């Protein structure tokens, strides 16, 4: 480990670290544009120059490996002069349009020009202008502002795995962008906006909306998929304006998917902002009391077996806890949080991503079964790609299910259970790879588990995990990839049929027959509403989607940006998000609605504040006792051996941009669907 | 910046590209020169091959895509290379592609006159193509033949030690469809001193006596 001196401070850094990292270790801030921790080193902006003893000229610290005995100065006159020079050159062609630039206030160039820029320009010649590029519905470009740091080029090549961006032409004429017009067809393209240190790539939906200092920033958790990406919600007064990633090395590093970032504009449309009651076949606005009275009239005296509850994909654990307890008080065992009808929910190890997302960084082979990871969890796909890159292609990936492009090298093994059996019997070539791997993992998607034969598929995948040593010692490579943010939380809380209770599909069938008379939909919109025509439907949620249309009583709930909520991601990691703004209109936090309803039904639940609900959650599952860390699950027997149907696995996510009521209402997601999904469909036909 | 350094308009871009069977053979040989896993390094010779094959001596976008497919790399990486190196033409040029060097040594030796002669004789400006598609003239930076300045490159050949008269003679010959002799137009051989070799004459078989070499030592 090299030891070096930075401004008289002695530091020791890991072998292979750069001088820049050593300077940071010593607490010295080094200005930079092109250098980024998660991208390869380019060394082309020259802003990070430092003085090194016995070197004839300043060195670019980002590209200089730290070596033993180096003496570095970061604050000498030479350094200051060198950086001033670099800054002056960068500003030669950079327009002075900060007042109309969306990056203003959070611009690296602006900030660093404060420290290293001159107060006036000595450059009298013409500045160059560059034609803007059309990159699709998410990234807006003003290429004249580009300083050629190539972060976007490296990101799209290395992390996103789509080679769209490049630096074409040369010298003074260099332009960053695609050579021929092309949108960036990646689920991660929004991250380019965060990466761009200047205002060349900015957010199209957010253009000219607000200045960063006007925004109130709230830490929260994303619910658009089951990854549980850490996000920051930026709001001004009563409006959420944008979502940005928060760094969490174990989950999303510092990326988020485009859906996470841009589906929020759906929260401004089709909102349920007041209670409704169906009168003479028409939904009419009502007060909370009237809505509760309508429910009471129907529910009181009804046998608990005739009541059922379904929880949707984006609901928080607090509201599921309250509804579970209410159903208990009403004597109903019919509740389910798996609106896709999947059979998962046995021992905890059978339904979580046991290796954890960070565990992918250790795996050396991966079998993906019935999951289109790129569409279902782009962040996890990016992690798999990162692993593949870091092993120089030694990370072997096999895919069973539909064909999809993961952006890294893979072997397509087959469409369905037959291939799965072949692997188990060792007849497939990929079995040898799994055999040889030290830390193999399997990712089982909902496409494989939400079928009739889900139990048998689960048993087979478990057998594969056992046979190829995927569970050994500390390593557990058996991973279930969920598509819904609320699923693992619901399973942990036991929001599943009780003794003699009905599961989702049985509830729907019973409701169609009239055996179940009241169905409580807690944000559940993905079930077949035609089966609920006979039943009395209570819909509680934020969005006016399928569930609200089928409802007899609508209780307006808060969206995920409008409440404090706990979510458990696919790894089984409980995380809490905070309220960024207040719910719209008469809408209320969801657990509080259930609590109020319980009072109206004379079945009062024993909690009056969110802390009491959370204590109850800890009683129900130890998951909630330790936040932000995934709790290891014990490896036990699960699944039921049986015949598997020969049909191929089909991923439940058909369109990445539209998977839930919020993203379906989003204008930006609609534009993305038009730009990317239909293109893809047309391509397939051709 | 010359229009040759920007992609040709859509009307000029062919719809498809493929190597001819002979060129495909050549391409395979080129690719085989690089070690396993480094096939992408063949991008530059393949682009050159594509340029030579294409009518108009240029690289259409479809040819770059074709090469990207062949080498299993993203198309943008090929675009980057093709747009960086000025010897790849991004738009069609005339049958005789004249590149006149106007960098300092050539300029000091009269490259401005050479450019003027070309303009006058061909009736085109710098960066333009004659109407019959026979000639395109551009100015280029140093081509590394300073010792024979001024010079110009026409397709693959260097024409050196130019004067307005020799330039005109070369252009006239080309107009007639002849191929003028490449190299120095002054009569000297390669980059020997003007007026013949002065040193080491005995060794080069130039017929001069060794003492002559001694005598001329001071000049060398």
């Amino acid at each position: 480990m090299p030891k070096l001196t930075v401004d008289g401070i002695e530091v020791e850094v890991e072998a292979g670290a750069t001088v820049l990292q050593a300077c940071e270790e010593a607490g010295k801030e080094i200005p930079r544009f092109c250098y980024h921790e998660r991208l390869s080193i380019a060394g082309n902006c020259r802003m990070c120059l430092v003085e090194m003893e016995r070197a004839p000229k300043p060195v670019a610290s980002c590209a200089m490996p730290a070596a033993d005995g180096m003496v570095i100065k970061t604050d000498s006159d030479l350094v200051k002069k060198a950086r001033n020079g670099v800054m002056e050159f960068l500003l030669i062609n950079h327009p002075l349009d900060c007042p109309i630039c969306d990056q203003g206030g959070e611009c690296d160039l602006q900030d660093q020009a404060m420290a290293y820029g001159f107060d006036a320009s000595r450059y009298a010649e013409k500045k160059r202008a560059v034609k803007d590029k059309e990159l699709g519905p998410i990234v807006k470009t003003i290429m004249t502002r580009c300083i050629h740091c190539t972060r976007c080029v490296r990101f799209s090549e290395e992390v996103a795995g789509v080679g769209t961006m490049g630096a074409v032409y040369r010298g003074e004429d260099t332009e960053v962008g695609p050579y021929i017009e092309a949108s960036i067809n990646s689920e991660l393209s929004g991250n380019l906006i965060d990466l761009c240190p200047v205002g060349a790539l900015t957010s199209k939906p957010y253009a000219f909306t607000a200045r960063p200092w006007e925004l109130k920033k709230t830490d929260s958790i994303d619910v658009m998929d089951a990854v549980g990406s850490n996000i920051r919600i930026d709001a001004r007064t009563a409006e959420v304006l944008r979502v940005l990633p928060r760094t969490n090395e174990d989950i999303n590093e510092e990326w988020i998917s485009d859906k996470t970032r841009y589906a929020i504009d759906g929260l401004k449309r089709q909102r349920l902002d007041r209670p409704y009651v169906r009168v003479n076949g028409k939904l009419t606005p009502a007060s909370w009391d009237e809505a509760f009275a309508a429910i009471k009239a129907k529910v009181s005296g009804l046998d608990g077996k005739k009541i059922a509850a379904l929880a949707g994909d984006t609901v928080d654990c607090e509201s599921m806890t309250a509804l579970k307890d209410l159903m208990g008080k009403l004597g109903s065992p019919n509740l389910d949080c798996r609106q896709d009808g999947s059979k998962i929910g046995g021992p905890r190890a059978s339904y979580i991503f046991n290796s954890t997302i960070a565990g992918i960084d250790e795996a050396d082979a991966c079998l993906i079964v019935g999951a289109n990871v790129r569409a279902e969890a782009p962040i996890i796909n990016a992690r798999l790609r990162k692993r593949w890159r870091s092993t120089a292609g030694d990370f072997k990936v096999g895919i069973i299910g539909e064909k999809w492009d993961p952006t890294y090298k893979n072997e397509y093994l087959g469409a369905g259970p037959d291939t799965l059996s072949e692997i188990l019997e060792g007849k497939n070539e990929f079995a040898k790879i799994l055999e040889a791997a030290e830390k193999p993992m399997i990712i089982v998607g909902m496409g494989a588990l939400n079928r009739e034969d889900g139990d048998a598929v689960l048993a087979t995948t478990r057998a594969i995990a056992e046979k190829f040593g995927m569970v050994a010692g500390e390593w557990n490579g058996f991973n279930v990839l969920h598509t819904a943010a609320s699923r693992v939380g619901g399973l942990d809380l036991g929001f599943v049929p009780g003794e003699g209770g009905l599961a989702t599909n049985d509830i729907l069938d019973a409701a169609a027959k009239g055996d179940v008379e009241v169905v409580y939909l807690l944000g559940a919109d993905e079930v077949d509403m035609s089966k609920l025509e006979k039943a009395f439907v209570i819909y509680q949620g934020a969005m006016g989607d399928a569930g609200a249309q089928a409802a007899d009583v609508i209780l307006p709930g808060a969206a995920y940006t409008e409440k404090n909520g706990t979510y458990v991601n696919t790894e089984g990691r409980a995380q809490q998000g905070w309220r960024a703004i207040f719910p719209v209109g008469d809408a209320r936090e969801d657990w509080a609605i259930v609590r109020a309803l319980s009072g109206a039904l004379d079945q009062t639940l024993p909690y009056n504040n969110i802390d009491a609900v959370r204590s109850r959650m800890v009683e129900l599952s130890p998951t909630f006792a330790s936040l932000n860390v995934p709790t290891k699950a014990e490896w036990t027997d699960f699944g039921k051996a049986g015949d598997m149907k020969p049909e191929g696995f089909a991923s439940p996510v058909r369109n990445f941009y539209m998977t839930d009521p919020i993203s379906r209402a989003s204008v930006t997601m609609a534009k993305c669907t038009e730009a990317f999904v239909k293109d893809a469909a047309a391509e397939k036909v051709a | 910046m010359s229009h040759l350094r920007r992609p040709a308009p859509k009307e000029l871009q062919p719809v498809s590209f493929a190597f001819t069977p002979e060129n495909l053979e050549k391409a395979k040989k080129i690719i085989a020169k690089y070690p396993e896993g480094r096939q992408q390094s063949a991008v530059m010779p393949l682009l050159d091959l594509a340029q030579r094959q294409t009518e108009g001596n240029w690289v259409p976008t479809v040819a770059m895509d074709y090469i990207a497919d062949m080498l299993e790399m993203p198309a943008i990486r090929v675009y980057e290379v093709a747009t960086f190196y000025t010897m790849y033409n991004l738009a069609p040029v005339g049958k005789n592609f004249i590149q006149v060097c106007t960098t300092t040594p050539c300029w000091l030796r009269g490259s401005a006159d050479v450019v003027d002669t070309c303009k006058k004789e061909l009736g085109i400006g710098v960066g333009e193509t004659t109407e019959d598609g026979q000639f395109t003239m551009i100015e280029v930076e140093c081509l590394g033949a300073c010792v024979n300045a001024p010079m110009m490159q026409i397709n693959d050949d260097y024409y050196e030690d130019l004067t307005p008269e020799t330039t005109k003679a070369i252009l006239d010959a080309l107009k007639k469809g002849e191929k003028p002799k490449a190299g120095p137009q002054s009569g000297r051989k390669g980059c020997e001193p003007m007026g013949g070799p002065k040193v080491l004459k005995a060794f080069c078989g130039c017929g001069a006596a060794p003492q002559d070499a001694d005598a001329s030592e001071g000049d060398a």
Side-chain angles (χ1 to χ4, degrees):
Chain A
M1 298 230 295
K3 263 190 203 153
L4 53 167
T5 319
V6 179
D7 293 344
I9 305 165
E10 204 157 275
V11 287
E12 195 172 346
V13 291
E14 299 257 321
T18 62
V19 171
L20 188 146
Q21 285 165 328
C23 294
E24 286 191 330
E25 193 74 16
K28 299 291 170 184
E29 198 178 333
I30 306 292
R32 85 284 302 265
F33 294 110
C34 72
Y35 176 79
H36 192 278
E37 296 86 353
R38 281 168 230 280
L39 302 175
S40 61
I41 292 168
N44 55 10
C45 78
R46 316 308 291 180
M47 197 61 207
C48 63
L49 294 175
V50 295
E51 187 180 348
M52 188 169 91
E53 234 170 54
R54 294 199 303 277
K57 52 186 182 174
V59 297
S61 60
C62 74
M64 173 66 75
D68 219 23
M70 277 181 173
V71 180
I72 306 289
K73 287 182 203 151
T74 70
D75 53 4
S76 64
D77 287 343
L78 179 80
V79 170
K80 173 85 176 148
K81 195 173 163 227
R83 290 180 188 164
N84 283 355
V86 170
M87 178 56 79
E88 191 173 11
F89 271 105
L90 284 174
L91 292 178
I92 279 180
N93 276 320
H94 192 80
L96 254 182
D97 62 351
C98 304
I100 55 148
C101 175
D102 260 330
Q103 194 83 355
E106 49 187 1
C107 174
D108 290 356
L109 188 61
Q110 209 177 27
D111 294 348
Q112 289 173 36
M114 292 299 289
Y116 298 102
F118 292 140
D119 55 356
S121 175
R122 293 190 289 173
Y123 187 73
E125 288 77 10
K126 275 190 180 149
K127 290 192 174 209
R128 74 178 202 143
V130 181
K131 211 173 155 226
D132 292 341
K133 311 286 185 289
E134 174 58 50
L135 294 181
I138 282 178
V139 183
K140 180 186 165 187
T141 65
I142 295 107
M143 295 316 290
T144 304
R145 295 180 188 147
C146 176
I147 58 166
H148 305 156
C149 71
T150 69
R151 275 187 190 179
C152 55
V153 177
R154 284 173 282 147
F155 175 84
S156 52
E157 169 88 14
E158 293 162 16
V159 180
V162 292
T164 319
M165 301 291 282
V168 290
Y169 310 119
R170 68 191 283 177
E172 149 103 310
D173 294 300
T174 305
E175 289 182 20
V176 169
Y179 173 63
I180 38 177
E181 197 165 286
S183 301
I184 304 178
N185 191 354
S186 165
E187 314 69 39
L188 298 168
S189 65
N191 297 301
L192 292 177
I193 298 160
D194 293 343
L195 281 174
C196 184
V198 296
L201 307 179
T202 54
S203 171
K204 212 175 241 181
Y206 175 71
F208 307 128
T209 306
R211 285 298 186 193
W213 56 84
E214 301 173 311
L215 302 169
K216 193 185 87 177
K217 300 156 180 74
T218 313
D219 288 353
S220 189
I221 304 297
D222 172 52
V223 300
M224 292 296 136
D225 55 34
V227 175
S229 296
N230 289 201
I231 55 171
R232 191 185 91 193
I233 299 171
D234 284 2
R236 186 175 56 187
T237 59
E239 208 182 351
V240 171
L241 294 180
R242 64 173 179 180
V243 166
L244 294 178
R246 256 189 308 139
T247 305
N248 186 327
E249 296 296 338
D250 291 336
I251 305 172
N252 53 318
E253 299 183 283
E254 61 179 274
W255 320 122
I256 52 173
S257 75
D258 288 350
K259 185 164 53 177
T260 301
R261 195 183 293 263
Y262 287 117
I264 41 148
D265 61 351
L267 290 174
K268 290 175 198 151
R269 306 171 74 230
Q270 298 182 21
R271 284 302 297 273
L272 301 172
D273 57 355
R274 60 188 309 169
Y276 287 86
V277 174
R278 198 175 285 275
V279 181
N280 300 328
K282 262 184 86 173
L283 283 169
T284 12
S287 69
W288 279 104
D289 287 341
E290 285 162 353
F292 286 162
I295 296 173
K296 188 175 184 187
K298 181 72 193 172
V299 170
S300 48
L302 198 66
D303 179 8
K305 290 221 162 79
K306 297 197 165 185
I307 306 173
L310 291 172
D313 290 348
T314 59
V315 298
D316 55 312
C317 292
E318 284 80 0
S319 57
M320 280 191 284
T321 307
L323 185 57
K324 177 185 155 82
D325 285 347
L326 177 63
M327 295 304 282
K329 290 219 171 213
L330 292 171
S332 166
N334 311 322
L335 62 166
D336 206 334
C337 64
R338 303 158 297 188
Q339 48 170 341
D340 57 0
S342 65
K343 305 274 191 303
I344 46 167
R348 195 156 189 268
S350 74
Y351 63 81
I352 64 171
F353 204 95
N354 287 294
S355 75
T356 73
I357 295 169
I360 293 171
D361 297 346
E362 294 167 36
D364 45 10
C366 178
L367 178 64
I368 299 173
V369 183
N372 178 344
V373 187
R374 192 173 169 190
E376 293 172 24
I379 296 299
I380 293 182
N381 198 50
R383 199 77 171 217
L384 289 165
R385 180 177 163 80
K386 179 186 167 194
R387 179 63 183 155
W388 172 73
R389 272 182 63 86
S390 71
T391 56
D394 274 349
F395 180 55
K396 299 276 189 282
V397 178
I399 293 176
I400 301 178
E402 292 171 300
K403 276 196 178 147
W404 52 282
D405 172 24
T407 72
Y408 39 87
K409 198 164 165 254
N410 64 90
E411 280 172 58
Y412 182 73
L413 306 173
D418 294 344
T419 320
L420 207 55
S421 307
E422 274 175 29
I423 299 256
L424 180 58
E425 290 154 21
K427 285 188 206 153
N428 196 301
E429 281 296 301
F430 200 77
K432 284 184 196 139
I433 292 170
L434 291 176
E435 195 83 59
E438 269 173 42
K439 287 187 169 180
M441 63 191 279
I442 185 169
I443 296 178
V444 191
M446 283 304 115
L449 298 178
N450 65 9
R451 309 157 26 121
E452 286 280 307
D453 55 359
D455 266 338
V457 176
L458 189 65
T460 313
T461 50
R462 185 187 185 281
I464 290 176
E466 288 268 303
K467 176 167 178 185
F468 297 104
M470 292 184 188
V471 186
E474 280 294 288
W475 177 252
N476 186 340
F478 182 83
N479 296 322
V480 172
L481 180 65
H482 289 269
T483 52
S486 66
R487 194 75 83 248
V488 175
L491 295 171
D492 280 349
L493 290 169
F495 202 100
V496 288
E499 199 67 35
L502 305 174
T504 303
N505 291 331
D506 301 328
I507 291 173
L508 294 175
D509 290 340
K513 270 187 260 162
D515 294 344
V516 163
E517 291 181 25
V518 175
V519 179
Y520 198 122
L521 300 177
L522 179 64
D525 291 279
E526 323 290 327
V527 295
D528 182 1
M529 296 297 167
S530 65
K531 291 189 172 171
L532 297 179
E533 271 164 18
K534 277 190 192 167
F536 181 84
V537 178
I538 303 162
Y539 182 80
Q540 177 184 339
M543 304 296 295
D545 205 75
Q549 276 175 31
D552 292 286
V553 175
I554 292 176
L555 306 176
Y560 71 105
T561 52
E562 298 158 6
K563 60 188 169 191
N564 296 327
T566 308
Y567 303 93
V568 186
N569 77 351
T570 192
E571 302 168 284
R573 186 193 303 263
Q575 303 184 98
Q576 278 175 2
W578 300 95
R579 179 178 61 213
I581 55 172
F582 286 98
V584 293
D586 280 345
R588 293 289 180 271
E589 290 204 12
D590 289 271
W591 76 267
I593 295 174
V594 180
R595 165 66 181 75
L597 177 63
S598 74
L601 297 177
D602 306 321
Q603 303 283 358
T604 312
L605 294 170
Y607 21 78
N608 292 320
N609 55 48
I610 197 161
D611 291 333
V613 184
R614 286 177 175 165
S615 310
R616 169 71 179 139
M617 279 154 55
V618 175
E619 269 173 44
L620 288 170
S621 165
T623 305
F624 300 97
S626 49
L627 291 174
N628 303 324
V629 285
T631 34
K632 272 214 172 306
E634 203 189 330
W635 185 249
T636 51
D637 197 30
F638 55 77
K640 224 183 317 180
D643 285 339
M644 295 185 287
K645 297 215 174 91
E647 287 97 36
F649 303 126
S651 166
V653 177
R654 308 316 305 175
N655 170 6
F656 160 72
Y657 296 102
M658 290 189 175
T659 50
D660 59 279
I662 299 171
S663 54
R664 277 196 291 267
S666 158
V667 177
T668 310
M669 292 296 102
K671 282 183 190 158
C672 287
T673 304
E674 200 173 324
F676 302 122
V677 181
K678 282 187 187 154
D679 276 3
E683 248 175 46
K684 254 181 207 165
V685 174
Chain B
M1 162 137 296
S2 156
H3 70 285
L4 301 176
R5 307 266 12 101
R6 286 288 179 275
K10 272 203 184 105
E11 314 79 88
L12 291 179
Q13 297 280 357
V15 285
S16 67
F17 178 91
F19 279 137
T20 58
E22 305 86 72
N23 279 347
L24 194 59
E25 262 327 292
K26 277 189 199 166
K28 279 183 188 154
K29 273 191 191 143
I30 292 169
I31 295 170
K33 286 181 192 168
Y34 298 92
E36 187 62 38
R38 294 277 181 274
Q39 273 67 29
Q40 295 181 352
S41 303
V43 66
M44 293 186 65
L46 291 195
L47 279 168
D48 179 59
L49 200 58
Q51 172 156 312
R52 285 168 192 282
Q53 184 186 313
T54 309
E55 174 83 35
N57 192 25
W58 65 300
V59 194
T61 309
V62 278
M64 299 183 207
D65 294 340
Y66 176 81
I67 291 167
D69 275 352
M70 184 175 265
L71 300 176
E72 294 177 4
M73 61 203 281
I76 184 72
R77 300 282 93 83
V78 181
Y79 303 156
E80 284 179 332
V81 172
T83 56
F84 184 88
Y85 292 100
T86 52
M87 282 168 76
Y88 300 119
N89 297 321
L90 305 178
V93 297
K95 198 171 146 227
N96 299 295
F97 184 45
I98 305 173
Q99 305 175 60
V100 188
C101 172
T102 53
T103 306
T104 319
C106 279
W107 176 71
L108 285 169
R109 300 278 296 151
S111 69
D113 296 338
V114 176
V115 172
D116 284 344
T117 308
C118 289
K119 281 184 183 168
K120 205 173 81 196
E121 291 300 315
L122 302 172
I124 51 173
V126 171
E128 291 176 4
T129 305
T130 53
E131 266 172 30
D132 58 5
Q134 288 296 304
F135 294 92
T136 297
M137 186 204 21
I138 61 166
E139 285 181 344
V140 293
E141 299 308 326
C142 186
L143 288 174
C146 312
V147 77
N148 291 73
M151 62 77 68
M152 63 182 174
Q153 183 183 357
I154 301 180
N155 296 344
D156 286 339
D157 297 315
Y158 275 19
Y159 293 87
E160 299 153 319
D161 295 342
L162 297 171
T163 59
E165 293 73 39
T166 49
T167 308
K168 182 172 182 302
I170 292 166
L171 295 177
D172 285 343
L174 287 169
K175 278 183 196 167
K176 277 185 239 156
E178 293 163 11
K179 190 173 181 313
K181 190 173 173 291
Q185 303 297 306
S186 57
R188 67 167 151 165
K189 190 180 167 202
C191 52
E192 280 175 350
M194 284 289 195
K198 294 190 176 166
V199 292
L200 304 176
K201 288 180 184 172
F203 301 100
C204 70
C206 302
Q211 57 266 39
D212 286 351
D214 294 340
S216 61
E217 208 168 344
D219 298 343

